């Protein structure tokens, strides 16, 4: 989770400054498919299920 919380603000900051997402991802060596999966990621309900 730490990586997600560190890298996402870096990407957002660059997008706000007008950089293209493809350039930002290229510089960070993150494939576009990984970024897309990352944006749509949701934590597993099973991981946080405390009824067991």
């Amino acid at each position: 989770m730490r990586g997600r919380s560190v890298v996402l603000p870096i990407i957002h900051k660059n997008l706000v400054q007008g950089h293209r997402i493809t350039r930002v991802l290229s510089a960070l060596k993150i494939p576009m498919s990984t970024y897309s999966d990352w944006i749509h990621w949701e934590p597993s309900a099973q991981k946080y299920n405390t009824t067991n």
Side-chain angles (χ1 to χ4, degrees):
M1 185 68 174
R2 181 169 181 252
R4 176 180 297 275
S5 62
V6 171
V7 176
L8 198 53
I10 293 169
I11 293 172
H12 179 70
K13 180 180 177 182
N14 279 277
L15 293 176
V16 168
Q17 291 177 353
H19 298 285
R20 293 181 181 174
I21 187 67
T22 53
R23 294 276 187 172
V24 174
L25 295 177
S26 177
L28 296 171
K29 298 182 180 174
I30 299 173
M32 181 60 98
S33 60
T34 300
Y35 177 73
S36 179
D37 290 345
W38 197 17
I39 291 299
H40 297 99
W41 177 84
E42 293 183 19
S44 170
Q46 186 177 32
K47 181 177 178 181
Y48 297 104
N49 186 354
T50 59
T51 60
N52 292 342

